[in-house]
Amino acid sequence: MKINVYNEYDPLKEVIIGDATKLYFPDTHEIEQEEHTLKWKQFMTKHIYTLLRGKKVPSFLAKKFQRELAEFQRILETHGVKVHHVDSVTPTKLDPYGMGQMYARDSAMSVGEHFIEGNVQIEMRKIERRGYQRIVAAINDKNQVHTLNQKDKIYLEGGDVIVNYPYVFVGIGKYASNEAGAKWLQSILDKDFENEIVDRPWKVVPVYLNDDAILHLDCCMTIIGPKTRKEMGGNVLVIGPKKVIVQKRHTALQEALKNEGYTVIPIVFTWHSLLDGALRCASCPLVREKNE
């Protein structure tokens, strides 16, 4: 396999998706108490998580996420996409409270011919990167793999990284990627032009999130085709030219996309959305075939 992701919309050929085999309740975190966070979430995190932190999520709840991921995989494979899974991780007593591996995009990302093990800012999520080690070992020999030190203050999360060569938009917020992460990414990508891998230099464009309740850039911006952007209803996954997987309940978005000539593939992904992640968050593309 050769990593190849130069935009968000060329035909998707290989992808990593998340895992919901083991879910553990987290501790409270500041982002859930920000001004624009829904009141029920503020209550949940402030009171319920305090009581249940570190405990395993009951199977009847975990299975809701598992079913959504299984259907997501089925749809991807039906459309010719090879699906890889992160390996299930078991937290240790030394780890912070909480663990969920549903959102494969955040801890790792592909940009051009680079695979990047990022560094997330929220401590409990750092352990998710352990689930990628088998995949990293398998692709390491034939690809450019870069790993950020999780002890450094350089933060770069896949949910903040939106690729549209020669541009890479990087969300800069309070709880995820920072300016140091954007500068680090630029330094990695600069070598592509120097080594004649690309014919134009990459340009990393910081996008500053002005609402601290927004964790990642892809919660409010998605590029679904050449010169085409759509705002959130819209944490969607494009799998081919004018072919996009969308949450079933977003009927207005589906109609708008159909009116623009898109083939819409609806899926129920409500439980993932309740935890502020959706289809893009749950998938880490590895290979997109250049659409000539």
Side-chain angles (χ1 to χ4, degrees):
M1 176 208 310
K2 184 69 173 175
I3 300 298
N4 191 81
V5 177
Y6 281 86
N7 57 47
E8 303 283 324
Y9 44 83
D10 278 340
L12 185 61
K13 294 300 178 183
E14 296 196 40
V15 69
I16 303 171
I17 68 171
D19 179 81
T21 305
K22 301 170 186 173
L23 304 181
Y24 294 82
F25 286 104
D27 205 340
T28 56
H29 192 275
E30 292 89 343
I31 190 171
E32 282 103 11
Q33 305 306 315
E34 292 290 350
E35 180 181 359
H36 294 137
T37 302
L38 295 173
K39 296 301 180 185
W40 72 264
K41 288 185 180 178
Q42 293 186 32
F43 177 85
M44 181 82 174
T45 57
K46 188 174 183 179
H47 300 288
I48 306 300
Y49 286 1
T50 301
L51 296 173
L52 298 177
R53 60 188 177 191
K55 296 185 183 298
K56 199 166 186 178
V57 172
S59 61
F60 78 91
L61 286 177
K63 285 179 180 177
K64 295 180 184 296
F65 293 93
Q66 292 164 13
R67 282 195 289 267
E68 289 184 351
L69 285 173
E71 177 62 6
F72 191 29
Q73 177 174 347
R74 187 194 69 77
I75 288 174
L76 288 166
E77 291 178 340
T78 297
H79 288 86
V81 181
K82 183 175 180 179
V83 176
H84 304 264
H85 284 272
V86 298
D87 291 329
S88 180
V89 173
T90 301
T92 71
K93 292 181 179 180
L94 298 177
D95 290 322
Y97 293 124
M99 203 277 297
Q101 297 176 261
M102 296 87 73
Y103 306 115
R105 176 86 61 158
D106 297 337
S107 294
M109 68 213 78
S110 301
V111 180
E113 297 180 10
H114 304 264
F115 184 79
I116 297 166
E117 292 186 278
N119 185 24
V120 298
Q121 192 174 156
I122 296 175
E123 283 294 320
M124 76 162 192
R125 299 203 62 191
K126 291 184 183 293
I127 66 174
E128 294 172 33
R129 219 171 71 178
R130 298 174 197 164
Y132 295 81
Q133 297 316 297
R134 174 183 50 81
I135 295 171
V136 169
I139 68 174
N140 193 52
D141 289 344
K142 297 181 180 179
N143 291 280
Q144 300 183 67
V145 177
H146 313 273
T147 303
L148 278 168
N149 189 328
Q150 291 183 308
K151 294 181 180 179
D152 288 344
K153 299 297 183 182
I154 300 173
Y155 300 113
L156 188 68
E157 308 191 13
D160 280 321
V161 177
I162 296 179
V163 184
N164 196 29
Y165 175 75
Y167 301 103
V168 183
F169 301 95
V170 177
I172 308 296
K174 185 175 180 180
Y175 299 107
S177 304
N178 60 9
E179 289 182 336
K183 289 177 181 176
W184 176 87
L185 179 59
Q186 183 71 72
S187 72
I188 292 297
L189 297 177
D190 282 344
K191 296 180 176 63
D192 282 1
F193 186 65
E194 296 169 11
N195 296 329
E196 300 183 343
I197 295 172
V198 295
D199 56 12
R200 287 179 290 170
W202 287 94
K203 175 63 177 176
V204 174
V205 181
V207 180
Y208 295 88
L209 304 177
N210 60 9
D211 185 343
D212 291 338
I214 297 174
L215 180 60
H216 291 133
L217 179 59
D218 67 7
C219 293
C220 52
M221 170 182 165
T222 304
I223 298 176
I224 59 172
K227 301 180 180 179
T228 309
R229 296 181 192 183
K230 294 287 180 185
E231 291 186 355
M232 180 83 170
N235 189 292
V236 301
L237 181 66
V238 182
I239 61 172
K242 296 247 175 178
K243 186 182 293 185
V244 59
I245 305 177
V246 179
Q247 291 193 65
K248 188 173 183 178
R249 63 195 177 93
H250 290 155
T251 55
L253 176 62
Q254 291 176 48
E255 287 304 311
L257 289 169
K258 288 176 182 177
N259 290 339
E260 294 292 328
Y262 280 81
T263 298
V264 174
I265 305 162
I267 182 176
V268 175
F269 224 62
T270 305
W271 282 89
H272 281 78
S273 298
L274 289 174
L275 297 184
D276 298 320
L279 298 160
R280 188 180 190 274
C281 304
S283 56
C284 176
L286 295 171
V287 181
R288 285 188 181 274
E289 185 179 79
K290 184 62 180 172
N291 185 40
E292 300 296 344

